[in-house]
Amino acid sequence: MNYYQQNNVSVSSSIQVSFLSVIYVNIVEDSNVHKLISRLTVAQKEFRKCIDWKQPCHEVKSKALELSSILEAIMDSSKELPYEKRKEFCEKVVESACVVIEQYKDALSIEGFSEAIVDELFDYTQKFYEQNFGLSINDDFWFRLQCYEWCLKEGFVNRPNNNYSNQGLEYKYTFSEEQLEKFFSDNRKQLIKIMLENNDAYHRVTLNSPLLNEDTNQSFGLYNRISKVK
C-alpha cells in the first residue's frame, strides 16, 4: 500500500492492533505500519523465547538487534500517517519502545548481553520523543509547573480540576517540598510579581497547572515514562 492509499482510506477500514500492553488504533490493514507492528510482535516473542529457553547469548543479542531495528523502522514510518493521527500513534510507539527497553534490562543478567543494545534503543527513543513531544517540555514549562506547585503547597491556589479532584485523589507533586522552597528562594521577586498579577477578588491566586493542557500533559506523561527506563 503506497503513501497515498495509507492516507486516503476510510476510518471503517482501520483496525486495532496490539503489541503486548500497548494498543494501536486506526491502523490501516495491510499498510506498511500494520506490517511493521506485526513483525514487531513476532520479533518480541522470539526474543522472549530465546531468554526463556536459555539460548546462547549471541542468539539473544541477534533477536534484540532485530527487535530494535523494527522499532526504529516504526518510528521512521510515523511520517506515513496523516497529521491528525500521528501524535497518538507516536505516543504508542514510545510506550512500545519503553516496554522493550525494560525487557532488555531484564536480559542484562545474561552474561555477554551488552548495555550498548539498551542504550542504543533508549537514545533512538529519546530522540524520537523530543522530535514529536519535546517542544512543550521546556524551561518555561518547568518554571510554570514549579510556580504552580509552590502556590498549591502554600494554599494560594486550588488543586487542578482534573482526574485528581474528580476521583477524590491527592495531587501528586512533581517536586519535593525542599525543591519548591529552593525555587521560591531563587525566584522570590518574580514569583511574588506573578502572584500579584494573578490575584482574584477573593485574594486567591488564579494560576493553573500547565498540565491542564491535554497535549502538554501527554508529553509530560511520556517524559516520565522514558525517565523510568533510563
Side-chain angles (χ1 to χ4, degrees):
M1 179 174 288
N2 62 31
Y3 179 84
Y4 179 82
Q5 290 170 320
Q6 290 182 60
N7 288 279
N8 292 274
V9 65
S10 66
V11 175
S12 61
S13 64
S14 298
I15 60 173
Q16 179 174 292
V17 184
S18 300
F19 172 69
L20 298 175
S21 60
V22 182
I23 309 297
Y24 291 83
V25 298
N26 296 325
I27 301 299
V28 177
E29 192 169 11
D30 292 328
S31 66
N32 180 48
V33 169
H34 180 206
K35 291 174 182 177
L36 283 170
I37 297 172
S38 298
R39 285 178 56 200
L40 183 69
T41 300
V42 173
Q44 186 276 332
K45 289 179 180 177
E46 291 179 348
F47 172 72
R48 288 304 312 178
K49 188 184 295 183
C50 276
I51 295 175
D52 295 341
W53 290 7
K54 302 186 185 302
Q55 296 296 306
C57 181
H58 72 271
E59 292 191 21
V60 178
K61 289 169 67 174
S62 175
K63 293 300 181 183
L65 292 172
E66 180 184 359
L67 189 52
S68 291
S69 67
I70 297 171
L71 265 170
E72 292 172 8
I74 292 174
M75 293 180 197
D76 294 341
S77 74
S78 63
K79 65 179 77 72
E80 297 177 13
L81 277 76
Y83 179 78
E84 64 273 12
K85 296 180 182 179
R86 195 174 303 161
K87 198 155 192 176
E88 182 181 17
F89 175 78
C90 290
E91 178 185 16
K92 300 302 181 183
V93 176
V94 171
E95 290 177 3
S96 298
C98 287
V99 171
V100 172
I101 290 170
E102 288 171 339
Q103 294 193 355
Y104 285 177
K105 287 193 169 185
D106 290 340
L108 288 173
S109 59
I110 300 173
E111 185 177 357
F113 191 85
S114 174
E115 281 196 31
I117 295 175
V118 185
D119 294 341
E120 183 177 9
L121 180 57
F122 177 84
D123 291 345
Y124 206 96
T125 302
Q126 188 170 49
K127 181 179 178 182
F128 179 76
Y129 165 80
E130 289 172 354
Q131 289 173 342
N132 291 280
F133 301 96
L135 288 178
S136 58
I137 308 302
N138 52 27
D139 290 344
D140 179 63
F141 164 80
W142 290 117
F143 182 89
R144 290 170 57 215
L145 183 60
Q146 288 180 93
C147 184
Y148 173 81
E149 290 198 347
W150 184 85
C151 289
L152 179 64
K153 179 178 74 71
E154 296 298 323
F156 295 129
V157 297
N158 292 321
R159 62 182 180 178
N161 184 26
N162 58 11
N163 289 338
Y164 287 106
S165 57
N166 291 340
Q167 298 174 11
L169 301 177
E170 291 297 323
Y171 176 82
K172 185 177 180 180
Y173 284 84
T174 299
F175 299 96
S176 67
E177 186 169 346
E178 292 75 16
Q179 288 173 318
L180 292 173
E181 285 304 318
K182 184 178 187 308
F183 170 76
F184 176 73
S185 177
D186 293 343
N187 301 276
R188 183 188 302 268
K189 289 184 178 180
Q190 188 174 359
L191 196 53
I192 291 174
K193 180 181 178 182
I194 290 171
M195 291 170 63
L196 291 174
E197 291 174 347
N198 293 274
N199 207 284
D200 64 16
Y202 300 97
H203 304 293
R204 293 189 64 84
V205 179
T206 56
L207 288 178
N208 287 321
S209 168
L211 296 177
L212 288 180
N213 179 279
E214 186 176 346
D215 287 341
T216 302
N217 192 44
Q218 179 191 38
S219 298
F220 186 60
L222 288 177
Y223 171 89
N224 287 329
R225 182 71 177 98
I226 293 174
S227 297
K228 287 181 180 178
V229 301
K230 187 172 183 179

